[in-house]
Amino acid sequence: MAKIILMADGAVLQEMTLSKERITIGRRPGNDIVIDNLAISGQHAAITTIADDSFLEDLGSTNGTLVNGQPVKKHFLQNGDVIELAKYRIQYQAAPRRESGIASAAADALSTLTQNTQPYNPAQMYDDGVRQGSIKITSGASNGKEMRLTKALTTIGRPGIAVAAITRNPQGFAITHIEGDSHPVVNGQSIGAATHALRDGDMLDIAGTTMQFNLG
């Protein structure tokens, strides 16, 4: 299980295992990690974790959030990343991977970043009434290759250029921008920073790779 380590002036102040799906960091007492410093906003940032994958989101803080020295709004966390909030540092330590990758052809085109560790179970897929989803690559050397979206969260894209997350919940599937200057494009329109519900047949463009979202 992933964990974070809060430090200031070289001293460790707190360690926390990311056992909850979402934790908040801020100055107010109700946060999971409380930092009593005026440079920290009341609710400064949040970390969302699904299985072995976590991403950080700045919650509109006054002084901003940095990761490895770079300002971020959303960021897919990787092992060893250092989150900076004023003088405080939070190091992210990822959970060990128990399985890796998707089919190599799809990986070449998508540079897919997450694969949760739970095995595919068709019965679990339909417990909440949501139809099965998939994305089919429609450009490049892997044109025609298809990947089933069997996880609660799948991130796709190219680190440093554009990374997006496709999430699955009882209402269906949605896509949201995680990091990078290039935002996902759905049916020719950029979704910006908003979360966008996906419909059967939607055409996506992420980091220059085009693909079609399908419901089974």
Side-chain angles (χ1 to χ4, degrees):
M1 190 172 291
K3 71 176 182 178
I4 53 176
I5 303 171
L6 174 66
M7 299 172 285
D9 300 323
V12 173
L13 304 180
Q14 184 178 353
E15 293 190 18
M16 175 178 284
T17 299
L18 298 180
S19 56
K20 294 173 59 177
E21 182 172 313
R22 186 174 188 270
I23 69 158
T24 58
I25 305 164
R27 194 176 69 251
R28 293 175 187 159
N31 289 287
D32 298 287
I33 292 184
V34 178
I35 303 176
D36 188 12
N37 187 295
L38 291 177
I40 306 299
S41 295
Q43 269 206 337
H44 197 107
I47 297 175
T48 299
T49 300
I50 299 177
D52 292 334
D53 301 298
S54 304
F55 67 87
L56 169 76
E57 181 179 6
D58 181 88
L59 299 177
S61 66
T62 300
N63 293 318
T65 301
L66 306 180
V67 176
N68 303 328
Q70 299 298 316
V72 300
K73 293 299 182 183
K74 292 182 181 180
H75 177 80
F76 179 80
L77 289 167
Q78 300 181 63
N79 188 47
D81 277 351
V82 176
I83 304 164
E84 302 173 43
L85 313 175
K87 71 174 184 177
Y88 297 88
R89 303 290 182 268
I90 299 174
Q91 185 180 60
Y92 173 77
Q93 294 184 359
R97 294 285 178 180
R98 287 170 286 175
E99 67 176 43
S100 60
I102 61 171
S104 59
D108 289 342
L110 297 176
S111 298
T112 299
L113 301 179
T114 77
Q115 285 292 295
N116 294 349
T117 58
Q118 302 153 355
Y120 173 63
N121 184 330
Q124 292 177 353
M125 283 294 299
Y126 293 97
D127 280 350
D128 57 10
V130 178
R131 294 159 64 191
Q132 183 179 352
S134 66
I135 51 175
K136 184 177 182 180
I137 302 167
T138 59
S139 67
S142 295
N143 182 24
K145 300 297 182 182
E146 191 167 5
M147 180 175 70
R148 290 180 299 180
L149 301 171
T150 60
K151 314 300 180 183
L153 180 149
T154 301
T155 58
I156 53 178
R158 302 184 189 279
I161 300 174
V163 176
I166 296 178
T167 56
R168 176 186 182 278
N169 57 48
Q171 287 70 50
F173 292 84
I175 186 169
T176 187
H177 175 72
I178 298 297
E179 66 175 336
D181 294 332
S182 175
H183 290 76
V185 173
V186 178
N187 299 327
Q189 299 292 321
S190 171
I191 68 168
T195 297
H196 182 89
L198 291 172
R199 299 181 182 276
D200 187 31
D202 278 350
M203 297 301 300
L204 316 179
D205 186 324
I206 302 170
T209 297
T210 59
M211 61 200 78
Q212 184 176 40
F213 171 78
N214 297 302
L215 284 172

